[in-house]
């Protein structure tokens, strides 16, 4: 016992306090063993109970319970994906991807996942479960779908004896705060990593200048849906159509890209001066158009719209003009949300982040009123948008990729 004591004490590492407490415990055990087993001792042979300490709080638990938990952990470890490709194939979008695209190879998942990890400044591989889920279960499946659409659309153009050089335009419809801008930035990195040119534009870029928006609000002063930017009727549709067509044709060396400053006028926003607009070098391979109301279609049942909100019939009439934007697109990806209250929570996160960075923004109360102006349109148009996107025909008869996300912006399995 004393020999065991010496070996244990010599092997111990850590703080002095830990060494002292461990040595005292060993001395106590050794003393008990000595008293019971040295010649002349009258006690019966000692019965030693082992109590294990560990990260999972195993003090005083039965050995059989610990053994069962150990086996369960081994089974879980055996079931856990061993590499990123296996993990990617376990995601909720993988089966949906296989319905329209050839399966990406293991090397592609690994290589492009590493590209995204560097861009997002997160560990490569599966070390960070949350980051790995974003990369392999969301970003890359959509990217592979878009890349396949690029190949398919250009092949179809060749078969129709058309030029294959124009950009392929993909629409991305997703609720406010869902992460459309982050997705666009990731797609840019991925396409450029594979030697292609990418350009993203937003519906927000085509909002009316502040003075024009004020004129619209005054003209329709009884319609609360047109008192702020957002709904159909608050964009310059002609400017958007010209910009999208110029990007798609790619026959102009440079295409000016309108820019909207959302933080101007205490969060009410204003279009930036045209002299400050960035330009896109053309031709490009892929143009991504993102917007919260992208794909919304005007309805004929105006009485039903008025029951949702009395201002919707006028917004519905304005919405017909936006078909000019939809006509430019070759394919559409739709991200759905089942609980519309999540829109406010996401937008609140974004607004608070903007204020924390030092940029002016709306207060929580102002934001609540602002988002309330969007909800009637969501209620009126999302059901058909989701139905069309999930159908075999797709939106406007074009290839469409549709899925829901949860409150954490993670894809939801259809099972």
């Amino acid at each position: 016992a004393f020999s065991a004591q010496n070996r244990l004490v010599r092997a111990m590492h850590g703080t002095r306090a830990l060494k002292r407490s461990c040595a005292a415990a060993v001395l106590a055990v050794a003393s008990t063993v000595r008293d019971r087993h040295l010649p002349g001792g009258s006690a019966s042979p000692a019965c030693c109970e082992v109590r294990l300490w560990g990260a999972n709080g195993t003090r005083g638990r039965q050995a059989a319970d610990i053994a069962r938990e150990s086996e369960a952990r081994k089974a879980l470890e055996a079931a856990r994906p061993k590499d990123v490709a296996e993990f990617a194939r376990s995601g909720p979008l993988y089966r949906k991807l296989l319905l329209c695209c050839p399966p990406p190879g293991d090397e592609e998942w690994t290589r492009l996942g590493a590209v995204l990890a560097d861009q997002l400044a997160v560990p490569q591989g599966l070390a960070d479960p949350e980051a790995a889920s974003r990369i392999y279960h969301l970003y890359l499946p959509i990217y592979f779908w878009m890349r396949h659409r690029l190949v398919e659309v250009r092949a179809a153009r060749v078969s129709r004896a058309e030029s294959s050089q124009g950009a392929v335009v993909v629409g991305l419809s997703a609720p406010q705060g869902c992460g459309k801008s982050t997705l666009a930035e990731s797609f840019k990195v991925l396409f450029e990593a594979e030697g292609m040119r990418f350009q993203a534009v937003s519906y927000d870029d085509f909002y009316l200048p502040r003075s024009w928006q004020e004129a619209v609000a005054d003209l329709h002063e009884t319609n609360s849906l047109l008192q702020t930017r957002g709904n159909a009727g608050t964009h310059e549709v002609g400017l958007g159509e010209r910009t999208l067509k110029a990007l798609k044709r790619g026959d102009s060396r440079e295409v000016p890209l309108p820019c909207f400053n959302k933080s101007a006028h205490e969060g009410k926003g204003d279009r930036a001066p045209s002299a400050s607009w960035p330009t896109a070098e053309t031709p490009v391979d892929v143009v991504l158009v993102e917007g919260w109301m992208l794909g919304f279609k005007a309805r004929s049942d105006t009485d039903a719209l008025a029951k949702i909100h009395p201002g919707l019939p006028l917004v519905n009439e304005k919405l017909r003009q936006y078909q000019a934007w939809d006509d430019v697109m070759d394919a559409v990806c739709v991200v759905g949300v089942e609980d519309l209250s999540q829109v406010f929570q996401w937008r609140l996160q974004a607004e608070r982040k903007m204020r924390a960075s030092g940029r002016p923004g709306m207060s929580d109360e102002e934001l609540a009123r602002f988002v309330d102006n969007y909800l009637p349109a969501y209620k009126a148009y999302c059901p058909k948008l989701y139905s069309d996107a999930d159908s075999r025909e797709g939106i406007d008869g074009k290839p469409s990729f549709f899925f829901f996300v949860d409150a954490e912006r993670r894809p939801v399995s259809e099972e």
Side-chain angles (χ1 to χ4, degrees):
F2 285 113
S3 177
Q5 166 203 335
N6 293 333
R7 288 197 300 271
L8 284 171
V9 171
R10 284 197 301 271
M12 288 177 183
H13 299 282
T15 65
R16 292 182 177 179
L18 177 61
K19 291 180 180 179
R20 287 196 298 270
S21 63
C22 291
V26 173
L27 284 170
V29 173
S31 177
T32 300
V33 173
R34 179 197 60 198
D35 292 343
R36 292 189 176 187
H37 292 283
L38 285 178
S42 59
S44 61
C47 179
C48 181
E49 177 187 358
V50 178
R51 291 177 176 253
L52 302 177
W53 291 72
N56 295 322
T58 56
R59 180 188 180 189
R61 292 154 65 194
Q62 296 297 318
D65 294 336
I66 296 171
R68 281 193 295 270
E69 292 176 8
S70 177
E71 290 302 318
R73 283 196 297 271
K74 290 178 181 178
L76 182 62
E77 184 65 28
R80 184 173 293 141
K82 299 300 187 297
D83 56 50
V84 295
E86 184 179 350
F87 178 74
R89 288 191 288 268
S90 71
L93 297 185
Y94 184 72
R95 290 185 181 180
K96 187 178 287 289
L97 181 67
L98 294 185
L99 294 176
C100 54
C101 305
D106 290 5
E107 183 274 337
E108 290 184 294
W109 289 108
T110 303
R111 173 173 53 84
L112 295 176
V115 170
L116 275 185
D118 290 344
Q119 184 241 343
L120 298 170
V122 297
Q124 294 186 11
L126 306 179
D128 184 334
E130 182 178 348
S133 180
R134 288 166 57 198
I135 290 172
Y136 299 105
H137 291 171
L138 179 61
Y139 295 171
L140 282 178
I142 302 176
Y143 169 73
F144 287 133
W145 174 78
M146 292 175 60
R147 189 183 67 178
H148 185 66
R149 294 271 63 85
L150 170 65
V151 175
E152 292 287 297
V153 170
R154 286 189 164 171
R157 289 174 182 172
V158 171
S159 69
R160 296 192 301 265
E162 300 175 2
S163 172
S164 64
Q165 296 306 308
V168 172
V169 182
V170 179
L172 174 62
S173 179
Q176 294 146 304
C178 191
K180 298 185 295 297
S181 298
T182 303
L183 280 169
E185 292 169 2
S186 297
F187 297 150
K188 177 179 175 63
V189 170
L190 289 169
F191 276 109
E192 291 182 349
E194 296 207 288
M196 290 172 278
R197 302 188 64 180
F198 175 91
Q199 180 63 54
V201 293
S202 171
Y203 269 35
D204 296 355
D205 297 331
F206 306 116
Y207 278 135
L208 297 172
R210 182 63 190 162
S211 60
W212 296 16
Q213 177 58 51
E214 290 175 341
V216 169
D218 291 341
L219 181 63
H220 305 289
E221 60 181 354
T222 61
N223 191 330
S224 63
L225 301 183
L226 294 176
Q227 297 308 298
T228 59
R229 71 178 190 269
N231 282 295
T234 63
H235 303 82
E236 189 175 349
V237 177
L239 175 63
E241 182 181 5
R242 292 192 298 274
T243 302
L244 295 179
K245 286 184 174 179
L247 288 170
K248 185 170 186 174
R249 288 194 309 268
D251 53 9
S252 302
R253 185 172 181 180
E254 293 184 345
V255 177
L257 300 176
C259 185
F260 192 83
N261 180 6
K262 294 182 180 180
S263 63
H265 303 287
E266 298 181 339
K268 295 180 176 64
D270 199 357
R271 183 182 295 170
S274 58
S276 68
W277 293 356
T279 58
E281 295 286 338
T282 61
V284 296
D285 296 290
V286 177
V287 174
L288 181 75
V289 186
E290 54 95 347
W292 73 273
M293 55 171 279
L294 188 149
F296 286 7
K297 300 298 182 184
R299 292 170 44 170
S300 58
D301 53 343
T302 53
D303 291 342
L305 291 173
K307 291 179 180 179
I308 298 174
H309 191 284
L312 265 181
L314 178 57
V315 170
N316 187 68
E317 190 60 35
K318 300 289 186 182
L319 185 59
R320 300 185 190 281
Q321 303 172 25
Y322 291 72
Q323 186 61 42
W325 293 4
D326 294 347
D327 289 342
V328 180
M329 297 175 202
D330 298 294
V332 184
C333 176
V334 177
V335 182
V337 61
E338 295 180 292
D339 182 4
L340 290 177
S341 66
Q342 192 58 53
V343 174
F344 172 73
Q345 296 300 324
W346 287 338
R347 187 60 192 265
L348 181 63
Q349 294 171 7
E351 200 72 19
R352 287 177 174 175
K353 183 177 180 180
M354 184 168 67
R355 295 202 306 262
S357 70
R359 293 180 295 169
M362 289 180 279
S363 67
D364 292 357
E365 294 74 17
E366 290 172 327
L367 180 63
R369 292 193 296 270
F370 183 74
V371 173
D372 281 346
N373 282 333
Y374 294 85
L375 294 181
Y378 279 116
K379 295 175 181 177
Y381 302 112
C382 278
K384 180 170 173 54
L385 172 70
Y386 296 170
S387 175
D388 287 351
D390 202 31
S391 68
R392 183 181 297 274
E393 293 76 18
I395 298 173
D396 291 335
K398 298 171 183 177
S400 303
F401 193 69
F402 171 71
F403 59 93
F404 284 107
V405 293
D406 62 16
E408 302 301 322
R409 303 176 181 85
R410 295 172 301 202
V412 177
S413 174
E414 294 181 352
E415 298 179 356

